Amino acid sequence: MSSEPPGRRPRGLRGLRKTAKKRPPGPPPAENADGSQPPEPPAENASSVITAALYRDGHRVSTHDTLADAFRQQRAATDTLAWIGLHRPTPSELVTLASEFDLHPLAVEDALEAHQRPKLERYGGTLFVVLRAARYLDAAEEVDFGELHLFVGRDFVITVRHGGAPDLTAVRRRMEDAPELLKRGPEAVLYAILDAVVDGYAPVVAGVQTDIDEIETEVFGGDPRVSRRIYELSREVVEFQRATRPLNGILESLTAGFEKYAIDEELRRYLRDVADHVLHTTERVDGFRQALQDILTVNATLVNQQQNSEMRALAEAGFEQNEEVKKISSWAAILFAPTLVGTIYGMNFQNMPELHWGFGYPFAIGLMVVVCVSLYFIFKRRDWL
C-alpha cells in the first residue's frame, strides 16, 4: 500500500452520476458490533450504510450512523482507520465516498453495477478488489453467490456488498477481538476479508461433494430426473470456478507488491496461508467439473443402453406377435376352405347340378379335406405353423 496520504478531491464524478444504476430496494443486513439486528428504517429513508467506524491502534474509537459524521470525525482525529461497510449503496452515497477518499470513477462504477469478475486493480494509492463469495443453501441444495467490492487505501477500507455472503459482521468482530492484528492497518482488514471469503468456500465444497455423491447414486439407480440435476450442478460448478480461479492471480499480485509497499511480514504469512487454501479449493472445484463430465458420460451411456434394451425388447415382442399372427392367419385360411365349400353347397338353389349327384356329398367332403391338408403342408413348409 502506498505511504502517501490519499487526497480529498472529487475526480471525474459528473459522468458517474449519469451512468450509475439505482440499487434494488430493501434494507441492508445487520453488521453491528455485537451482531444484533438494528431496527429496520422506513423504506423511503433506507440507508445502505451498515457500519461506519473509526479505529486507532486496533480499537474502535467511534461508530457513526451516517457517512458525514464518519468523515467529520476522521478529519478531526489523527492516525485513525475508517472501516465503512455498505450494502447495495445508492449512487449518491458512492459519489460522496469517491469525493471524500479520491476513488477512481471506473472503480466506483464497477461497485455500483456489480456483476464483475474477481479482480485486483490499483488506482494510485488505492486498491480496488472484487471478490465472489459463495454459500451453500441446504434447503434448496444449491449454491448462492454474492459479490463484494473493496476499496483499500492508506487510512480507510470501504466494503460494498451485493448479496448475502460473506458475513462481514463476523469478520469485523474477529478483527476487533484481535487488536494486535487490526492495528497493522488496512492490509490486515483486506486479509481478514479474503480469509473469510475463502473459508466460506469450504461448506460449499462439502455441499457440492455431497450432491455429486447423490447424483452418482441416482445415475446407477436409473432416476430419469438425474440429467437435469447434473446440468444444474454443472452450471453451479462453472460459476464456482469463475469465483475461485481469479483469486490465484489476485493473491500473486498482492504477493508481488509485498516489498514495494512494505507489507508487514506477519501479514505476508497470513496471505500465503490464504493462497494455500485457494489452491486447494480450486483443485477441488476443477475435480468437481471433471467428475460431473464423467458422470454425464456414464449417464448418457446408461441411457443409451436402456434405450437399446427397450428397443430390443420391443423388437422381440413384435417378432413374437408376428409369429402369432402367422399362426392365426394360417389356421384361419385352413378353416376358411371347408367353410367356403360348405357355404356354397348350403345355398338354397334348385338348379345346382351337384345336389342330386350320388357322389356329391363324398366329393364335397373330400374336397374340404384335400384343400385343408394342402394348406396345412404349405404353411408348415413356410414355418407359419
Side-chain angles (χ1 to χ4, degrees):
M1 205 66 61
S2 174
S3 58
E4 299 180 2
R8 291 290 191 262
R9 62 186 182 278
R11 182 171 57 188
L13 300 177
R14 183 173 299 174
L16 178 63
R17 285 191 172 97
K18 295 181 180 179
T19 59
K21 296 182 179 179
K22 294 183 178 180
R23 68 183 181 97
E31 198 187 44
N32 289 339
D34 58 356
S36 62
Q37 292 283 349
E40 184 176 325
E44 62 273 13
N45 297 322
S47 172
S48 68
V49 179
I50 303 172
T51 301
L54 298 183
Y55 297 86
R56 181 184 292 113
D57 294 330
H59 299 279
R60 185 186 294 215
V61 295
S62 62
T63 303
H64 306 277
D65 296 328
T66 65
L67 295 177
D69 292 340
F71 300 156
R72 191 181 307 110
Q73 180 67 26
Q74 190 177 28
R75 293 192 198 102
T78 58
D79 299 328
T80 57
L81 167 67
W83 185 352
I84 300 173
L86 305 175
H87 183 265
R88 294 180 179 174
T90 62
S92 61
E93 288 171 329
L94 271 186
V95 166
T96 301
L97 286 170
S99 176
E100 180 70 21
F101 295 107
D102 194 19
L103 306 180
H104 197 278
L106 293 178
V108 175
E109 184 176 354
D110 287 346
L112 271 173
E113 296 184 356
H115 303 294
Q116 304 294 317
R117 63 177 179 82
K119 60 182 179 179
L120 180 147
E121 296 177 346
R122 184 178 293 277
Y123 297 98
T126 302
L127 278 179
F128 176 62
V129 184
V130 179
L131 302 174
R132 295 293 306 277
R135 59 179 178 174
Y136 187 79
L137 305 179
D138 292 320
E141 292 187 341
E142 63 182 21
V143 182
D144 176 54
F145 294 93
E147 191 167 332
L148 180 65
H149 302 251
L150 294 94
F151 298 90
V152 183
R154 183 185 64 85
D155 58 355
F156 67 88
V157 175
I158 301 170
T159 61
V160 179
R161 186 150 54 96
H162 299 269
D167 182 9
L168 295 184
T169 304
V171 176
R172 190 182 293 268
R173 187 183 304 115
R174 171 194 171 190
M175 295 298 289
E176 291 179 349
D177 290 341
E180 290 297 321
L181 178 60
L182 181 56
K183 74 177 183 179
R184 298 178 189 272
E187 296 87 355
V189 178
L190 175 60
Y191 150 74
I193 294 175
L194 279 169
D195 188 51
V197 170
V198 175
D199 286 347
Y201 292 150
V204 179
V205 169
V208 173
Q209 181 64 65
T210 301
D211 288 343
I212 291 177
D213 294 340
E214 293 176 354
I215 284 176
E216 289 178 342
T217 303
E218 292 173 358
V219 164
F220 292 102
D223 191 335
R225 299 170 297 179
V226 70
S227 297
R228 180 182 180 88
R229 190 176 182 190
I230 293 174
Y231 173 74
E232 292 174 348
L233 188 57
S234 297
R235 290 182 59 186
E236 291 180 354
V237 169
V238 170
E239 190 71 17
F240 201 8
Q241 279 186 315
R242 292 173 181 170
T244 56
R245 276 187 175 179
L247 288 178
N248 292 315
I250 291 175
L251 291 169
E252 288 176 2
S253 299
L254 288 173
T255 303
F258 282 169
E259 295 295 337
K260 180 178 179 180
Y261 296 100
I263 303 300
D264 185 88
E265 181 62 32
E266 190 67 16
L267 287 179
R268 300 184 191 187
R269 297 191 185 97
Y270 288 146
L271 286 173
R272 283 192 288 267
D273 181 67
V274 174
D276 290 340
H277 292 170
V278 170
L279 181 61
H280 176 71
T281 301
T282 53
E283 290 176 349
R284 291 290 304 276
V285 176
D286 291 342
F288 289 158
R289 188 169 185 181
Q290 183 60 47
L292 286 170
Q293 290 176 348
D294 295 341
I295 291 173
L296 190 61
T297 301
V298 171
N299 183 63
T301 302
L302 293 176
V303 170
N304 289 334
Q305 290 179 350
Q306 183 178 2
Q307 290 177 344
N308 292 337
S309 299
E310 292 175 354
M311 292 296 295
R312 189 181 305 110
L314 185 61
E316 292 175 353
F319 177 77
E320 293 176 359
Q321 185 178 11
N322 189 41
E323 292 298 315
E324 294 297 327
V325 170
K326 286 181 180 180
K327 292 180 181 180
I328 294 173
S329 301
S330 301
W331 286 112
I334 293 172
L335 295 176
F336 177 74
T339 302
L340 178 63
V341 175
T343 302
I344 292 174
Y345 286 100
M347 293 187 295
N348 296 322
F349 291 105
Q350 295 296 325
N351 297 323
M352 290 184 69
E354 292 86 358
L355 290 178
H356 303 287
W357 184 30
F359 295 99
Y361 176 75
F363 176 78
I365 296 298
L367 181 61
M368 294 179 187
V369 173
V370 170
V371 172
C372 290
V373 172
S374 300
L375 290 174
Y376 176 81
F377 282 107
I378 292 173
F379 291 136
K380 190 70 174 178
R381 182 178 298 178
R382 294 185 179 182
D383 294 328
W384 282 38
L385 291 175

